[in-house]
Amino acid sequence: MENIMKRLNKISVENIKLEIMRTTFGNRDTFLSQLDPRVLMFWYLIFAIFPWFIYDKIVLVALLAFVTFIAAISKVSKVIIFLLCFGIASEIICYGIVAYFLGGGLEAFLALIGLTMKLATISLASIAIFGNIDPERLSDALLSWGVPGQITFAVSFGYRMVPVLIEEYNNIINSFRLRGKSPEHKGFLYWRQLLHMLKIAIYAFYPLIFNTAKRTRTTVEALEVRGFSYALQNKEVKKLKLAYLKIRLKDIAFLAGSVSYVIFLMIIVK
Amino acid sequence: MPQGIIHIEGLSFTYPGSGCPVLKNVDLEVEKGDFVAVIGSNGSGKTTLCKAMNGLIPQYISGDFAGKVEVNGLNTLETTVASLARHIAYVYQDFENQLVRSTVYEDVIFAPLNFGFADYRERGLQALKILGLEHLKDRFIWELSGGQKHLAAMAGALSLGPDIIIVDEPAAQLDPLTAVRVYEKLQILNRDYGKTIIVIEHNSEFIADYCRSVIMMDGGCVFWQKPVREALNRIDELKERNIHPPQVTQAAHLLFQSGSGKNNVGNYPIQIAESEAYFAGINLKPSCCAHSITEPSPANNREPVITFQGASYGYKTLENTTHYVLSNVDFTIYEGDRLAIVGSNGAGKSTLLKLISGIIKPQSGGVTVYDSNTRDASPENLAEIVTYIFQHPEEMFIEDSIRRDIEYFLKVRKNPNLEVLVDQVVNGLQLTELQNQNGRLLSGGQQRRASLAIGVATHPSVILLDEPTGSLDISSRKEMVAMLEYLKDRVKTVIVATHDMQLAAEWANRIAVMKDGKIIEDSDKYRVFGNPALLKEANLRPPQIVELCHDLGISPVAFSLGEFSNRLVLGKEDHHGKYYETVE
């Protein structure tokens, strides 16, 4: 147990931080990241909605295989994949147990597996898309669809602030630890220690919010000076800003390929 | 007299909800192409004046406004802040918060794009080129160092092609060498691109090296506006307002007062470069104590407190390589040490402190604090012995009043004497008045004091301070040095990581110099500051008085003006024992 705790300490805030950074900032040269953000969003919508209307197991498997392939070529974070697999595995085990005890047997189990596959497909599609679409470009895609400038700016500003907030959150947690007291008796399976850490993780948000509020004063002034509100009222600026968005052959091929694959599946099954 | 690029007439301003005006009837003219420093004590209206120039006051920060401000002939009341931004740029003191996009390139094109300039890309690239930042174009903002962020913020403002650039306290947030780099860029902007530069600055040595004229603010008024040499020669007037004239200027003044200097009142040297010629003509009588430096007291009869045994620490980068910040450090810190760790940015100073506190653990080798190996001890347990005071006090405020912050440690340990102990600390560090306020709302100096109080309340044997005098003005800095003295009898070992060489020289009894994750020198101030080659290697900028001693060939070097004049002018016979007394 001692050993496990040490290992757990190793997947400390430091490593989680690194993994988040890698997920957010690491993929700049994958296939997906080079596509037009609007096409990616559209593709995502297809794969997020379509599986809900499919009941055929084979089609679901084929869809899952396809998004798995897309996720694989777009270098998504291993940790997130691990979490996803962990979630799915525990879900399947739960289904098994429930089906065994409550009756319904294999049939009920398989029916639930169908749902799991749908969820897995959608999750993988989300991971692949949002891990690869540059938030700046995502916000431009939203802007081009008429989402208000304030909201699209918030998307990309969040991207800018993620590292700052993580760093500060880490420091505040350290502050809590350097002044706090860890429980003398760790408790069964270290539950007291875990509870202590969990409490800190929650309490640390409070100072974080205060510090962020203070920080925004300069940001708001700077936005004004740098013409943010001027741009909001100006249609020409929007046009200029979005002028770089172009749907190229690559985009069309990707979208057309994906759609024909889905249609092909439907035909085969029928 | 023709109207300057900035023309201010009868300007008064009162913040809403405050009874007394911050600016009172200010008349001011700034010439095109000037390089101006705005100085004055805290609350004298420097920042308010500058925000009135770019129109934020009164258009964005409303209040009671009277008078007229014209920038490039545009009245700030009739021109929007956004339009004024094309004429006047502003780099904030907390410049990080004005960077709003995720990469350098995105950020520099932000403003020209917002204003709908079709050539926004060229404008952004041009701004990067002027500041020599092209190589950072595709970097994320979070990857940059403090100095690079400062320049990126400046590039973001430059992309609109303004004629005037205001920079709020560049030297306060940056380490000294980075600040020099920023000033060098400002000088290029001024000299080669004809930009008018206005800096708010406390550090008179930067003013002497780069500025051409000085505006002194006092109680909301312009006290005077003078060419730089004349301004910095007003020694008494500057000191009254907590601004220290350059040490060479003060040294020349002191020499004159003691009767052996030239009668050059009002025309003392202000830069180190001109001081050699100036002092050369004076008959100096150096006392001979070059041979009389004591060895630092031998280590073997003192109690070791912290030991590094081949400790290394590195962090993983996004590319999955490990970047070593500290490599194979062997080092022992003893009871009674007042240790200053100096070195340029990224030398590993903060990492060294964090390893002692147990927040991070060495990847190889070990760190022992008293008897416990930090690898086996939790930060919570180490905190009973060691206190780590963060570089940014804000990150230490976890409660909503500083009294509750100070209590926290004792409270969770259910200390029965809590009230008494906390009162002691609060009174000792003069926080009685402030104790119920939220730490975040205090001034920089007060925040430092509060963070120190939080540390002291844990009754540690070892205190670690990360950059305790960083971003403080001169008077708060003095106060901080006094607080460090307060620790002397209460804490066995104090370790300070700092860029402030004056602090290292005045306060420490041991100095460790770090470079590239290694300790390259571990001795006392005489050996460190008496060794120009070492200072150069570690990229350190010694106090000006030390540089002066180097230039004049005075050894051992002096660390204060008093020492300088004592030893040179009066030629006192200093026994080294006595000598140490006067220093400490």
Side-chain angles (χ1 to χ4, degrees):
Chain A
M1 198 63 212
E2 195 76 19
N3 231 327
I4 295 174
M5 270 324 275
K6 284 228 178 88
R7 258 158 220 269
L8 271 181
N9 264 335
K10 272 221 169 117
I11 46 166
S12 60
V13 187
E14 200 62 35
N15 283 334
I16 296 173
K17 197 167 93 184
L18 191 69
E19 205 47 53
I20 296 179
M21 299 289 266
R22 222 175 257 158
T23 311
T24 330
F25 300 101
N27 302 320
R28 294 173 100 188
D29 47 5
T30 53
F31 170 69
L32 284 192
S33 65
Q34 284 159 24
L35 296 177
D36 187 278
R38 291 167 300 177
V39 170
L40 286 178
M41 288 300 286
F42 191 68
W43 182 90
Y44 173 63
L45 287 179
I46 295 176
F47 281 85
I49 296 170
F50 187 67
W52 293 112
F53 302 106
I54 304 292
Y55 298 95
D56 191 290
K57 295 269 153 31
I58 298 166
V59 178
L60 282 176
V61 170
L63 277 179
L64 184 60
F66 181 64
V67 289
T68 309
F69 169 71
I70 295 292
I73 59 164
S74 47
K75 296 188 208 159
V76 296
S77 155
K78 289 188 188 80
V79 172
I80 293 185
I81 294 296
F82 169 77
L83 288 176
L84 182 70
C85 293
F86 182 77
I88 292 174
S90 50
E91 208 175 303
I92 290 177
I93 293 170
C94 285
Y95 288 164
I97 295 171
V98 170
Y100 181 79
F101 283 107
L102 297 183
L106 199 62
E107 212 165 287
F109 179 75
L110 284 177
L112 288 168
I113 284 292
L115 179 68
T116 306
M117 279 200 290
K118 286 177 192 180
L119 288 174
T121 308
I122 295 163
S123 309
L124 273 172
S126 313
I127 294 170
I129 291 298
F130 291 107
N132 279 272
I133 192 169
D134 182 343
E136 299 279 356
R137 289 159 61 99
L138 171 64
S139 93
D140 287 344
L142 294 175
L143 190 66
S144 75
W145 288 338
V147 176
Q150 286 92 333
I151 293 174
T152 61
F153 176 77
V155 171
S156 70
F157 186 64
Y159 185 48
R160 151 90 178 95
M161 292 308 285
V162 161
V164 178
L165 294 178
I166 294 179
E167 188 64 39
E168 191 156 311
Y169 185 63
N170 191 3
N171 284 335
I172 293 172
I173 285 191
N174 282 337
S175 244
F176 269 102
R177 296 200 70 184
L178 287 180
R179 259 184 286 160
K181 186 173 186 304
S182 51
E184 272 157 44
H185 305 289
K186 307 286 180 206
F188 177 63
L189 288 178
Y190 278 75
W191 74 272
R192 279 177 209 275
Q193 176 73 15
L194 288 174
L195 185 71
H196 170 69
M197 296 301 287
L198 194 67
K199 266 189 186 163
I200 290 180
I202 295 168
Y203 284 141
F205 278 102
Y206 176 68
L208 186 70
I209 291 166
F210 268 119
N211 291 353
T212 310
K214 197 181 158 194
R215 206 197 296 279
T216 43
R217 238 184 81 178
T218 301
T219 308
V220 169
E221 276 183 26
L223 282 176
E224 188 62 28
V225 172
R226 303 182 69 189
F228 177 65
S229 43
Y230 179 90
L232 287 181
Q233 292 148 9
N234 198 318
K235 289 221 170 63
E236 288 302 307
V237 172
K238 185 172 154 184
K239 222 185 261 170
L240 187 66
K241 192 171 159 59
L242 300 177
Y244 81 96
L245 289 177
K246 277 202 186 75
I247 295 183
R248 286 157 304 172
L249 198 61
K250 201 154 56 164
D251 299 300
I252 296 170
F254 174 67
L255 200 59
S258 304
V259 172
S260 17
Y261 177 71
V262 173
I263 294 172
F264 171 71
L265 285 176
M266 298 304 293
I267 293 170
I268 285 195
V269 172
K270 273 190 180 159
Chain B
M1 187 171 139
Q3 188 170 313
I5 194 163
I6 292 175
H7 170 77
I8 297 177
E9 228 177 273
L11 170 66
S12 297
F13 185 75
T14 312
Y15 282 104
S18 117
C20 59
V22 190
L23 295 176
K24 294 174 204 152
N25 204 16
V26 171
D27 291 318
L28 189 70
E29 210 75 45
V30 175
E31 296 301 319
K32 189 170 165 47
D34 204 352
F35 198 138
V36 196
V38 182
I39 60 175
S41 49
N42 283 344
S44 59
K46 304 184 295 286
T47 301
T48 311
L49 177 71
C50 290
K51 286 193 175 164
M53 291 178 189
N54 76 343
L56 276 174
I57 288 174
Q59 294 193 34
Y60 202 76
I61 305 167
S62 55
D64 212 352
F65 182 92
K68 188 167 93 171
V69 179
E70 281 184 0
V71 175
N72 245 354
L74 299 166
N75 189 318
T76 59
L77 278 178
E78 293 153 7
T79 320
T80 60
V81 175
S83 312
L84 280 168
R86 296 176 210 175
H87 300 272
I88 189 161
Y90 199 102
V91 182
Y92 284 83
Q93 198 175 351
D94 51 340
F95 51 89
E96 280 186 43
N97 300 328
Q98 80 184 85
L99 294 162
V100 293
R101 309 244 86 183
S102 52
T103 67
V104 174
Y105 175 69
E106 292 279 349
D107 198 79
V108 291
I109 61 167
F110 182 68
L113 183 58
N114 279 339
F115 288 114
F117 289 113
D119 59 343
Y120 66 92
R121 290 193 188 86
E122 289 75 32
R123 282 171 174 264
L125 292 176
Q126 175 65 12
L128 289 179
K129 198 174 157 215
I130 291 177
L131 294 174
L133 297 177
E134 292 118 315
H135 61 291
L136 299 177
K137 181 176 158 256
D138 294 317
R139 297 279 285 277
F140 290 112
I141 297 293
W142 56 264
E143 291 180 296
L144 306 183
S145 69
Q148 289 171 332
K149 278 183 200 157
H150 194 273
L151 290 177
M154 204 189 294
L158 271 179
S159 57
L160 288 174
D163 296 318
I164 308 155
I165 299 157
I166 301 175
V167 188
D168 197 343
E169 302 222 25
Q173 298 297 326
L174 303 170
D175 71 274
L177 280 163
T178 311
V180 168
R181 247 169 265 147
V182 168
Y183 266 101
E184 280 167 357
K185 298 289 183 195
L186 287 173
Q187 197 171 38
I188 292 172
L189 288 172
N190 178 254
R191 198 184 51 210
D192 303 345
Y193 294 86
K195 310 274 184 201
T196 307
I197 312 277
I198 300 171
V199 291
I200 300 176
E201 185 56 81
H202 274 119
N203 187 322
S204 62
E205 287 167 24
F206 285 116
I207 297 175
D209 285 346
Y210 298 99
C211 298
R212 248 177 268 141
S213 67
V214 179
I215 294 167
M216 160 82 94
M217 297 290 292
D218 190 31
C221 304
V222 173
F223 188 63
W224 43 247
Q225 183 178 7
K226 292 181 186 304
V228 65
R229 179 171 304 275
E230 206 181 313
L232 292 181
N233 267 283
R234 299 281 181 130
I235 292 173
D236 296 329
E237 285 171 4
L238 293 171
K239 278 186 162 173
E240 272 167 36
R241 286 159 190 85
N242 266 321
I243 297 151
H244 284 212
Q247 286 185 319
V248 287
T249 317
Q250 294 193 58
H253 185 57
L254 223 61
L255 276 178
F256 166 68
Q257 279 183 328
S258 62
S260 36
K262 291 179 198 165
N263 182 1
N264 244 357
V265 182
N267 203 17
Y268 296 128
I270 55 172
Q271 281 172 294
I272 191 88
E274 42 181 36
S275 58
E276 207 177 338
Y278 181 87
F279 287 105
I282 297 170
N283 189 18
L284 300 167
K285 291 176 278 180
S287 58
C288 48
C289 33
H291 56 278
S292 61
I293 302 178
T294 42
E295 290 289 320
S297 48
N300 49 18
N301 55 11
R302 288 187 300 155
E303 194 66 32
V305 177
I306 297 156
T307 332
F308 284 78
Q309 298 115 343
S312 298
Y313 181 81
Y315 60 84
K316 282 244 172 75
T317 63
L318 289 189
E319 290 76 36
N320 233 342
T321 53
T322 306
H323 176 80
Y324 277 95
V325 193
L326 216 61
S327 46
N328 206 8
V329 171
D330 286 300
F331 192 52
T332 308
I333 300 163
Y334 299 93
E335 215 159 77
D337 272 354
R338 277 183 287 144
L339 170 67
I341 302 172
V342 298
S344 57
N345 271 344
K349 305 189 295 292
S350 297
T351 306
L352 197 81
L353 296 189
K354 283 184 186 158
L355 279 174
I356 300 174
S357 76
I359 300 177
I360 54 175
K361 319 279 182 192
Q363 263 126 15
S364 58
V367 181
T368 316
V369 179
Y370 283 98
D371 292 328
S372 53
N373 187 327
T374 61
R375 210 185 286 275
D376 306 321
S378 68
E380 282 94 338
N381 291 342
L382 279 172
E384 317 246 338
I385 317 168
V386 183
T387 280
Y388 178 52
I389 315 262
F390 286 41
Q391 184 176 359
H392 303 292
E394 265 148 348
E395 286 160 356
M396 293 187 68
F397 300 138
I398 54 180
E399 290 280 353
D400 48 16
S401 79
I402 55 172
R403 188 179 174 94
R404 291 180 53 183
D405 263 319
I406 295 169
E407 301 180 327
Y408 191 92
F409 179 89
L410 298 169
K411 210 169 191 170
V412 294
R413 283 170 178 72
K414 303 195 172 68
N415 192 307
N417 296 323
L418 183 129
E419 292 298 322
V420 183
L421 291 172
V422 173
D423 279 336
Q424 268 174 11
V425 175
V426 166
N427 295 334
L429 290 168
Q430 293 140 42
L431 290 164
T432 321
E433 310 270 304
L434 305 170
Q435 57 178 315
N436 294 318
Q437 290 194 35
N438 189 320
R440 292 165 196 86
L441 304 178
L442 304 178
S443 74
Q446 292 167 337
Q447 285 193 344
R448 293 278 169 180
R449 233 181 320 146
S451 66
L452 192 58
I454 294 170
V456 172
T458 66
H459 279 265
S461 306
V462 181
I463 284 200
L464 316 171
L465 295 115
D466 202 344
E467 215 61 68
T469 57
S471 66
L472 291 187
D473 60 67
I474 305 284
S475 61
S476 317
R477 191 192 160 278
K478 263 190 176 166
E479 203 180 86
M480 190 66 211
V481 176
M483 295 298 152
L484 289 176
E485 287 301 315
Y486 167 89
L487 293 182
K488 213 164 164 182
D489 313 321
R490 289 169 176 78
V491 180
K492 288 180 185 144
T493 307
V494 182
I495 307 169
V496 163
T498 187
H499 283 298
D500 184 340
M501 295 302 133
Q502 193 72 44
L503 174 72
E506 276 171 31
W507 166 85
N509 62 9
R510 181 177 174 195
I511 299 180
V513 181
M514 291 193 73
K515 193 195 173 207
D516 299 336
K518 290 196 162 63
I519 292 173
I520 57 169
E521 173 78 24
D522 171 20
S523 52
D524 62 6
K525 60 183 177 184
Y526 294 98
R527 274 161 223 273
V528 170
F529 291 113
N531 185 348
L534 172 74
L535 294 172
K536 196 160 175 228
E537 191 197 340
N539 240 335
L540 297 175
R541 195 178 143 121
Q544 201 178 32
I545 196 84
V546 171
E547 268 183 277
L548 185 61
C549 290
H550 288 167
D551 285 354
L552 300 177
I554 298 165
S555 172
V557 293
F559 292 98
S560 70
L561 289 162
E563 222 180 292
F564 179 80
S565 70
N566 271 348
R567 290 175 41 210
L568 292 170
V569 183
L570 307 172
K572 268 187 193 163
E573 288 292 322
D574 286 320
H575 306 291
H576 75 253
K578 223 178 179 182
Y579 182 63
Y580 263 71
E581 249 167 57
T582 55
V583 176
E584 302 211 343

